[in-house]
Amino acid sequence: MGGGNAQKTAMARAKNAAKAAKEAAGGGGASGKASRQAAMDLKCSVCMQCFPNTQVKAAQAHAESKHPKSDFATCFPMAGSS
């Protein structure tokens, strides 16, 4: 009797599942660009530089280094009192 293809089929199935999961998580290249981009909601009211809404710490560092005379709430009023 000959050997079966069960191992080869299982490996192909696992490989295809991993590829599908990777593409669903954003994908690479131009196809996943929209899902990788965060909303640029934080905008400095002094110099109008934008930051992604996930980068509050970078916005705080920006306010401290670029605008030392203004506080964070003045530079980024849309961020609230964080």
Side-chain angles (χ1 to χ4, degrees), residues 3-76:
N5 285 327
Q7 181 66 27
K8 192 190 302 184
T9 303
M11 286 299 292
R13 195 172 286 134
K15 188 171 136 185
N16 289 336
K19 184 178 178 184
K22 180 181 171 188
E23 289 176 358
S31 62
K33 185 176 181 183
S35 60
R36 288 193 311 267
Q37 281 184 330
M40 301 291 269
D41 288 342
L42 297 175
K43 186 174 187 180
C44 180
S45 59
V46 178
C47 66
M48 302 301 169
Q49 183 173 353
C50 294
F51 292 90
N53 56 0
T54 57
Q55 305 239 344
V56 177
K57 288 185 180 179
Q60 288 173 340
H62 167 83
E64 291 171 4
S65 65
K66 301 292 183 184
H67 313 296
K69 295 180 182 176
S70 301
D71 61 340
F72 180 73
T74 305
C75 290
F76 298 95

